[in-house]
Amino acid sequence: MKPHRSPKKISLNWIPFICLSFFTLGILFSNRLWVPPESNGQLLSQRRREQELQIVSGDCDTKKEVFFTMFTQTPGQDNDVMGEVLKTHEAIQSLDKSVAMLEMQLAASRNSQEMDNGEASKVVSTLTRDRPPRKKVFMVIGINTAFSSRRRRDSVRETWMPQGEKLIQLEREKGIVIRFMIGHSATSNSILDRAIDSEEAQHKDFFRLEHVEGYHELSAKTKIFFSTAVAKWDAEFYVKVDDDVHVNLGMLGTTLGRHRSKPRVYIGCMKSGPVLSSKNVKYHEPEYWKFGEEGNKYFRHATGQIYAISKELATYISINQPILHKYANEDVSLGAWFIGLEVEHIDDRNMCCGTPPDCEWKAQAGNVCVASFDWSCSGICKSVEKLKTVHERCGEGDDAVWNTSL
């Protein structure tokens, strides 16, 4: 009888080789590799990016075709395309202006509803009250004046400001309203107020404000002027000018007309003067510490002799009058009210020409100034005596405003 043989044992060294062989065979038969879930996500992301690149590439090709088409057109076709582009741009600007005005009016309405009756009677609720419709005009010019400035007012009346029937005609035909703006004295029905009443009866060129006059109250007066003017006239622009400055009305109208399609503009001679902390100087700023370290300058703002703002900005002042902060200097205050808004600051040096010979040379060169004054005096030095000379040498001619297209 043969002895029983035990089966041969496979050496342990062959086991890895056999496993590898079976794994290879499995790959060949399945013809694909197992991919972990994380890799699946990466592959999908990669494919998505490839598709996006294809779309972008196609879009770029389309834009290239449009570009090629635009610049290979005949001259007539090219003019048509550019004309359509300009029309579209103007339509967008007009729409922006309309939307901005609607937003202002909506804010005014909300403001009047949210405020109590006593407060609402003081502010822009005047816009929403029952009252005769506001007269639509091109611009309202407020000439800032004081009780003691009768001679200055007369010098303005004798030079660049029309009088009597011509003042009414200017408003009716050209949409230009000009008034001396002044408040009241601290004492009711004082001799100062009666003197203004008498002057008004004679010339009919005042715009009385609910404001107590005082040199240190110019910022408050400015707010009240714009608020009251907006309530009375529906103007495209509101202008403030001092009573010792010479103005060419035709050039002012032409200058403002160039910006009438813009929704929020602030036009004047922009400056950034030093913040004066010393109490012994004329333009001392008590709140100098708000502007940083000593020796800093103010933010950009228009000098106070003359500046203009568009309807939307005047309406903004009306709506927010109670909470607009007043600094010591009126021009700084106005600049502060606009500093955080989407406002276009237009620096027009033609609004701050010097007196002769400066404005005279520019007029002879065909570049007539909008306004002239002396920086050293913050107005025309000795304006009562000098304004007539400035008007004769630097004026645009009395017919210029009537021939200006507004």
Side-chain angles (χ1 to χ4, degrees):
M1 214 178 144
K2 293 181 182 180
H4 178 73
R5 292 182 181 177
S6 59
K8 291 183 179 180
K9 295 182 178 179
I10 299 175
S11 173
L12 294 175
N13 295 332
W14 286 90
I15 291 175
F17 176 74
I18 293 170
C19 291
L20 182 61
S21 299
F22 279 110
F23 178 72
T24 304
L25 287 172
I27 291 173
L28 291 174
F29 281 108
S30 64
N31 197 28
R32 63 181 179 178
L33 289 170
W34 177 78
V35 182
E38 293 82 358
S39 299
N40 274 332
Q42 292 174 357
L43 286 173
L44 289 173
S45 298
Q46 184 176 354
R47 289 175 186 168
R48 191 178 293 110
R49 284 197 295 272
E50 290 174 355
Q51 291 173 352
E52 290 171 353
L53 287 172
Q54 289 175 357
I55 293 170
V56 171
S57 176
D59 188 49
C60 289
D61 292 339
T62 303
K63 289 179 179 178
K64 286 178 182 176
E65 291 177 7
V66 173
F67 181 82
F68 179 77
T69 303
M70 286 179 64
F71 287 91
T72 55
Q73 290 173 325
T74 62
Q77 290 173 324
D78 186 57
N79 289 336
D80 291 341
V81 172
M82 292 307 296
E84 290 300 320
V85 170
L86 289 173
K87 287 180 182 178
T88 303
H89 180 65
E90 290 173 358
I92 291 172
Q93 284 186 328
S94 178
L95 183 61
D96 284 344
K97 190 171 183 179
S98 299
V99 170
M101 195 59 214
L102 286 172
E103 289 175 345
M104 289 292 184
Q105 291 174 348
L106 179 60
S109 178
R110 287 175 178 169
N111 184 71
S112 63
Q113 290 175 7
E114 292 174 359
M115 295 170 63
D116 61 86
N117 294 332
E119 193 69 24
S121 63
K122 300 176 184 177
V123 211
V124 176
S125 56
T126 52
L127 292 174
T128 57
R129 271 195 235 140
D130 292 333
R131 58 167 58 243
R134 294 179 300 157
K135 185 172 182 180
K136 191 169 183 61
V137 297
F138 176 62
M139 64 174 164
V140 175
I141 303 174
I143 307 174
N144 185 36
T145 192
F147 289 117
S148 59
S149 299
R150 172 64 190 259
R151 295 182 65 206
R152 281 188 180 183
R153 291 191 291 274
D154 285 340
S155 67
V156 169
R157 292 177 178 123
E158 292 167 2
T159 52
W160 62 267
M161 180 182 178
Q163 284 297 290
E165 182 57 34
K166 284 190 175 182
L167 188 66
I168 299 172
Q169 184 183 358
L170 187 66
E171 181 177 335
R172 183 176 62 247
E173 296 183 6
K174 308 303 290 186
I176 299 176
V177 177
I178 311 175
R179 299 286 189 275
F180 289 105
M181 59 165 172
I182 193 168
H184 299 270
S185 65
T187 305
S188 178
N189 197 31
S190 69
I191 188 173
L192 297 174
D193 290 311
R194 292 199 298 273
I196 294 296
D197 292 341
S198 175
E199 193 176 340
E200 163 65 6
Q202 179 183 356
H203 295 284
K204 299 186 181 342
D205 56 7
F206 278 95
F207 185 33
R208 300 302 295 273
L209 306 174
E210 291 299 324
H211 166 75
V212 177
E213 286 291 322
Y215 178 79
H216 296 291
E217 295 298 327
L218 290 179
S219 294
K221 186 176 182 180
T222 299
K223 283 202 297 185
I224 295 170
F225 162 64
F226 286 122
S227 298
T228 312
V230 164
K232 186 174 179 63
W233 293 285
D234 180 14
E236 294 187 51
F237 294 95
Y238 298 83
V239 183
K240 178 262 177 180
V241 60
D242 287 340
D243 60 5
D244 56 354
V245 171
H246 180 267
V247 178
N248 283 316
L249 293 173
M251 279 305 301
L252 176 60
T254 300
T255 298
L256 298 184
R258 291 198 293 265
H259 306 290
R260 69 193 313 169
S261 64
K262 302 173 183 177
R264 291 171 298 278
V265 288
Y266 172 32
I267 309 168
C269 291
M270 300 294 165
K271 65 175 184 177
S272 301
V275 181
L276 303 176
S277 58
S278 175
K279 294 183 179 180
N280 301 322
V281 295
K282 183 177 181 181
Y283 299 111
H284 165 61
E285 176 58 73
E287 296 180 277
Y288 62 89
W289 57 272
K290 287 186 177 180
F291 298 91
E293 301 299 325
E294 188 172 347
N296 277 2
K297 291 185 175 182
Y298 287 115
F299 38 76
R300 208 75 170 149
H301 62 279
T303 186
Q305 286 84 352
I306 181 172
Y307 51 73
I309 62 176
S310 57
K311 176 196 300 186
E312 290 78 4
L313 295 183
T315 306
Y316 171 83
I317 293 173
S318 291
I319 294 169
N320 297 284
Q321 185 187 165
I323 59 172
L324 292 178
H325 185 71
K326 303 186 297 292
Y327 289 100
N329 300 300
E330 163 250 343
D331 52 357
V332 172
S333 295
L334 187 73
W337 301 337
F338 300 151
I339 200 67
L341 306 180
E342 286 293 339
V343 173
E344 182 176 354
H345 290 58
I346 297 174
D347 184 15
D348 192 331
R349 310 313 291 184
N350 218 25
M351 294 180 72
C352 54
C353 297
T355 54
D358 179 40
C359 57
E360 186 176 21
W361 290 341
K362 291 178 180 177
Q364 291 172 354
N367 187 26
V368 178
C369 293
V370 173
S372 302
F373 57 88
D374 299 309
W375 285 102
S376 59
C377 299
S378 297
I380 296 176
C381 300
K382 298 182 179 179
S383 65
V384 172
E385 296 82 8
K386 193 176 177 182
L387 188 59
K388 188 173 182 180
T389 301
V390 175
H391 184 66
E392 291 171 350
R393 297 173 62 179
C394 300
E396 61 190 351
D398 294 338
D399 295 332
V401 66
W402 304 103
N403 298 325
T404 301
S405 178
L406 300 176

